[in-house]
């Protein structure tokens, strides 16, 4: 075993064979493996940065020995890279072990028999000699040499990057992008990584650049910062940033206003960024927004056959009576190629969709869709017709994109999209590419809810655009007026904080004061586990959902999940997945779309049992196995963020609103949280925080230009 101090890094260096990978996180940044150190027969556990390394490889690990209280002796890895084998036996085993696809066990044996321990040196330095071995011609020689060179380039690149302080997972992503060109490209301009490699931002590129000796006033640094800030703006929902906002943010980041201004002008001149009257866009964002506007104009210009709306027949068949505003909405839908329908809870949007669908289905095929699986199921339940997610409707395939487009459009007469406030710019563009002019498009949603997680503010922009026909329902129907949830939601829209009911008996809305987050967490635990089930007959896990404004904090989703797991499922058999602690019986949420399993981001399930390699989860009537990396798609879901609840309804919701959530408290977040509850809503928090949430609209602004492009207000 070689385990000696490494003076340069202040760490120990351990050469070993990687025997088995026990766990690998989805982003490859955290790995648990069993390794056998050189010269030792007893394996040990290595944990940490082992990205890109595979079973059977000899590896060099840098880190520290430590004693974990739960798992015993471990080697904590902070950097690692593969080692090429040296002995005849190791070289033959390495060549035969699948590292070089063009070499199988028999050929590996012949190569080592001919070249001995120098086999790899021959492949790297004199590959033409490989043709001396029986069965190797020019083509196979080139394949073998290229594959071994790739492994050598990978080793060199990982050593180079990790010498700059780059973590192993990040180094692997860089090598995957640049391959054999990694070292020269990173040396030439490390800032290019922030634009070209997913998951590497400006901060990481800047650290690498500084390690390479780049100065803080380097123009390449300023250009990368501008792109980074525009991309971060997209994560905040903005399609562009005003020039003055971008310059202000860049100056705060870099500290040199003159350099920032000069580099912005130069970058615009190069065409890497787009300037429209002081609105600065990333080129891709600009092109997508322009495309959306052009396609909507094309739909508006193409006539659709007038829809015969027989309101009386619909009313007779359903027993419903439509209000004048609802009839006006149907009249508009009869002739409009594109229509937007919006309104709050209790205003009758679902009734109009049912009436419209009643007419549309007699005219031909209609596609019903929503952004999430939960919203699609709600749409299907409300209309009695099949509905799907937009991704499924458009034939999305991971890694390939959307199958439906101009060349393979949807073969329907109309498309109706519910929960349209959740549709971001990229998804809207994909939808419009699949709709040929002459197809009717109806978008339904509540424009006062939280907007899409991704960039854009599509529903609000279409409502603000002059040429796009729309109806905004405002009348609360008598049945809905009896719900305090509906009444208090509309109070929030007027900027007033919700009020506690004067007569709590029979109310479906409650406001419970808590002096601080610790007290609020204790109240939430008691209400979910005891009070609400006892008083309202609701199941504490299946029927009650806690919605938190943030993930972190005493009353954030993470801490509340741990608290409620112990309260509601203390005795479930434990299941460990890296740093996650599940139990049989836990309520869990899928956090990424899985098209093979047909479960989608935000779907809720219950852990049914443990399995040999993972666990079994029940989603409604389906049992699904989760093993390996698929387990990383699950999180505890006794509590979730308000953003994750979009498109869903729950029998009861409990919402903490405290000053620890201050940066997230705004009107549309509080309104969205309240309107997720069907039978019961309980707000737990501090009056000051609730008041701020109802009044604050500062964070609701999104910089978009779609309404202007469509002919709306500038």
């Amino acid at each position: 075993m070689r385990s000696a101090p490494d003076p340069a890094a202040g760490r120990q260096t351990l050469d070993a064979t990687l025997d088995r990978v026990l766990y690998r996180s989805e982003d490859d940044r955290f790995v648990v493996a069993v390794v056998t150190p050189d010269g030792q027969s007893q394996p040990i556990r290595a944990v940490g940065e082992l990205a890109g390394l595979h079973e059977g490889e000899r590896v060099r690990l840098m880190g520290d020995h430590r004693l974990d209280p739960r798992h015993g002796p471990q080697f904590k890895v902070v950097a690692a890279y593969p080692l090429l084998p040296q002995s005849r036996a190791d070289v033959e085993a390495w060549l035969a072990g699948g590292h070089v696809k063009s070499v199988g066990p028999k050929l590996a044996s012949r190569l080592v028999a001919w070249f001995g321990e120098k086999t790899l040196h021959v492949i790297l330095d004199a590959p033409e000699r490989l043709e001396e071995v029986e069965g190797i011609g020019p083509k196979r020689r080139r394949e073998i040499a290229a594959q071994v060179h790739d492994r050598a380039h990978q080793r060199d690149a990982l050593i180079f990057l990790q010498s700059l302080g780059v973590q192993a997972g990040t180094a692997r992503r860089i090598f995957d992008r640049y391959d054999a060109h990694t070292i020269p490209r990173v040396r030439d301009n490390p800032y290019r990584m922030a634009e070209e490699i997913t998951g590497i931002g400006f901060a990481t590129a800047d650290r690498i650049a500084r390690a390479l000796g780049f100065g803080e006033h380097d123009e390449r640094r300023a250009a990368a910062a501008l792109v980074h800030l525009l991309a971060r703006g997209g994560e905040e929902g903005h399609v562009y940033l005003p020039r003055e906002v971008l310059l202000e943010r860049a100056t705060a980041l870099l500290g040199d206003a003159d350099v920032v201004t000069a580099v912005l002008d130069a970058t615009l001149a190069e065409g890497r960024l787009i300037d429209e009257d002081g609105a600065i866009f990333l080129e891709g964002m600009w092109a997508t927004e322009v495309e959306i506007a052009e396609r909507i104009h094309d739909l508006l210009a193409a006539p659709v056959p007038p829809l015969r709306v027989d309101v009386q027949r619909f009313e007779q068949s359903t027993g419903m009576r439509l209000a004048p505003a609802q009839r006006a909405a149907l009249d508009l839908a009869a002739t409009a190629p594109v229509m937007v329908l919006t309104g709050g809870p209790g205003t009758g949007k679902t009734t109009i969709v049912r009436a419209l669908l009643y007419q549309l289905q007699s005219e031909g095929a209609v596609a019903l869709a929503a952004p999430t699986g939960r919203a699609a199921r709600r749409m299907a339940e409300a209309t009695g017709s099949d509905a799907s997610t937009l991704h499924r409707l458009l034939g999305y395939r991971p890694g390939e994109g959307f199958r439906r487009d101009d060349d393979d459009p949807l073969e329907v007469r109309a498309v109706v999209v519910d929960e349209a406030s959740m549709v971001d710019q990229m998804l809207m563009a994909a939808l419009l590419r699949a709709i040929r002019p002459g197809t009717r498009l109806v978008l339904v949603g509540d424009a006062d809810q939280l907007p899409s997680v991704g960039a854009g503010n599509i529903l609000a922009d279409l409502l603000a655009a002059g040429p796009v026909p729309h109806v905004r329902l405002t009348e609360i129907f008598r049945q809905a007026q009896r719900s305090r949830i509906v009444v208090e939601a509309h109070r929030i829209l007027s900027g007033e904080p919700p009020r506690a009911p004067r007569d709590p008996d029979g109310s479906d809305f409650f406001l419970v004061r808590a002096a601080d987050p610790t007290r609020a967490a204790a109240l939430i635990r008691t209400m979910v586990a005891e009070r609400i089930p006892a008083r309202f007959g609701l199941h504490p896990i299946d029927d009650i959902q806690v919605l938190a404004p943030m993930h972190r904090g005493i009353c954030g989703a993470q801490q509340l999940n741990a608290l409620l797991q112990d309260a509601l499922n203390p005795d479930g058999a434990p299941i460990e997945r890296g740093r996650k602690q599940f139990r049989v019986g836990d309520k869990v949420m899928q956090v990424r779309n899985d098209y093979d399993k047909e479960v989608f981001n935000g779907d809720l399930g219950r852990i049914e049992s443990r399995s040999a390699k993972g666990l079994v989860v029940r989603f409604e009537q389906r049992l699904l196995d989760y093993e390996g990396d698929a387990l990383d798609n699950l999180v505890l879901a006794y509590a979730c963020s308000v953003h994750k609840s979009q498109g869903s309804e729950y029998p009861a919701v409990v919402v903490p609103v405290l000053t620890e959530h201050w940066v997230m408290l705004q009107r549309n977040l509080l309104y969205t949280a309240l309107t997720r509850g069907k039978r019961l809503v309980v707000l737990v928090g501090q009056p000051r925080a609730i008041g701020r949430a109802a009044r604050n609209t500062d964070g609701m602004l999104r910089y978009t230009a779609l309404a202007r492009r469509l002919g709306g207000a500038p």
Side-chain angles (χ1 to χ4, degrees), residues 84-130:
L84 292 178
Q86 302 297 322
S87 70
R88 290 174 63 104
D90 287 345
V91 170
E92 182 174 343
W94 187 83
L95 287 170
H99 301 290
V100 182
K101 293 183 174 59
S102 300
V103 178
K106 292 182 179 179
L107 182 54
S109 178
R110 292 203 303 273
L111 281 166
V112 174
W114 190 265
F115 297 116
E117 65 272 6
K118 296 182 179 180
T119 299
L120 294 181
H121 294 287
V122 170
I123 296 173
L124 290 170
D125 301 327
E128 66 279 355
R129 291 195 59 197
L130 292 178

Side-chain angles (χ1 to χ4, degrees), residues 555-579:
C555 278
Q558 292 177 357
Q559 293 279 20
L560 290 174
N561 266 318
L563 184 73
L564 293 170
Q565 183 188 47
D566 286 341
L568 301 176
N569 189 26
D571 301 320
I575 304 164
E576 292 187 16
R577 173 61 178 174
R579 300 169 184 173

Side-chain angles (χ1 to χ4, degrees), residues 136 328 443 484 528 547:
I136 298 180
L443 301 172
R484 295 301 306 175
V528 172
L547 303 180

Side-chain angles (χ1 to χ4, degrees), residues 278-585:
I280 311 298
F281 296 80
L282 290 171
E283 194 278 335
M285 284 284 198
W286 174 85
T288 303
E289 190 179 68
V290 168
E291 179 189 3
I292 290 172
E294 291 175 347
R295 289 184 179 274
I296 289 175
H297 278 304
D298 290 344
L299 290 179
L300 290 169
V304 295
L307 183 66
R308 182 175 174 270
V309 179
D310 191 339
V311 174
Q312 184 176 4
R313 184 179 175 188
F314 171 76
E315 290 180 335
Q316 289 175 347
S317 65
T318 61
M320 296 180 177
R321 296 288 296 175
L322 298 184
Q326 293 175 309
R327 287 174 175 254
L330 285 176
D331 290 340
L332 179 61
T335 58
V338 179
M339 174 188 166
V340 178
L341 174 65
T342 189
T347 57
K349 295 193 304 297
T350 301
T351 300
I352 295 177
V353 172
R354 290 182 60 187
L356 183 59
L357 186 61
Y358 182 84
Q359 308 300 327
L360 286 172
Q361 288 177 330
S362 64
E363 303 287 327
V366 181
L368 303 183
T372 68
R374 296 162 295 157
R377 285 192 291 273
R378 284 181 51 210
M379 191 181 193
E381 292 167 0
T383 61
S385 300
D386 291 338
S388 71
T389 65
L390 282 167
H391 282 74
R392 181 168 295 282
L393 176 69
L394 300 177
Y396 179 79
R397 295 187 179 96
E400 300 179 20
F402 296 96
R403 179 174 61 86
R404 296 287 192 176
D405 55 19
D406 290 297
D407 297 324
D408 187 13
L410 296 167
E411 299 294 337
V412 294
R413 297 292 299 275
V415 177
V416 181
V417 178
D418 199 11
E419 296 291 350
S421 63
M422 299 175 66
V423 177
D424 65 17
Q425 177 167 285
M426 300 306 293
L427 186 55
M428 187 66 180
L431 173 63
L432 293 173
R433 290 178 193 129
I435 299 177
R436 60 161 60 102
T439 302
R440 199 183 305 269
L441 174 62
V442 180
L443 301 172
V444 183
D446 187 344
D448 294 311
Q449 289 187 22
L450 286 168
S452 58
V453 174
N457 202 4
I458 299 296
L459 186 64
D461 284 348
L462 293 178
L463 288 168
V468 180
H470 66 270
V471 173
R472 184 184 290 271
L473 302 174
T474 57
E475 179 185 355
I476 304 175
F477 290 96
R478 184 173 302 171
Q479 182 178 358
Q481 288 176 352
R482 294 195 291 269
S483 167
R484 295 301 306 175
I485 297 173
V486 173
V487 172
E488 298 307 325
H490 284 271
R491 271 183 63 82
I492 291 169
L493 291 182
S494 68
E496 296 294 326
R499 298 173 299 189
R502 294 179 180 176
D503 181 10
D505 291 337
S507 179
D508 58 4
F509 173 81
F510 296 86
L511 198 159
V512 180
R513 294 192 177 193
D516 55 61
T518 301
R519 175 59 178 159
L523 285 170
I524 290 170
R525 183 188 190 281
T526 302
M527 284 189 291
V528 172
E530 302 171 16
R531 293 183 186 176
I532 293 175
R535 179 168 176 178
F536 295 94
L538 296 171
H539 193 280
I541 298 178
D542 295 336
D543 296 333
I544 305 172
Q545 185 63 48
V546 177
L547 303 180
M550 299 173 65
H551 287 286
R552 299 184 182 277
I554 296 171
C555 278
Q558 292 177 357
Q559 293 279 20
L560 290 174
N561 266 318
L563 184 73
L564 293 170
Q565 183 188 47
D566 286 341
L568 301 176
N569 189 26
D571 301 320
I575 304 164
E576 292 187 16
R577 173 61 178 174
R579 300 169 184 173
K580 296 179 182 178
Q581 302 292 321
F582 294 119
R583 297 172 186 166
V584 172

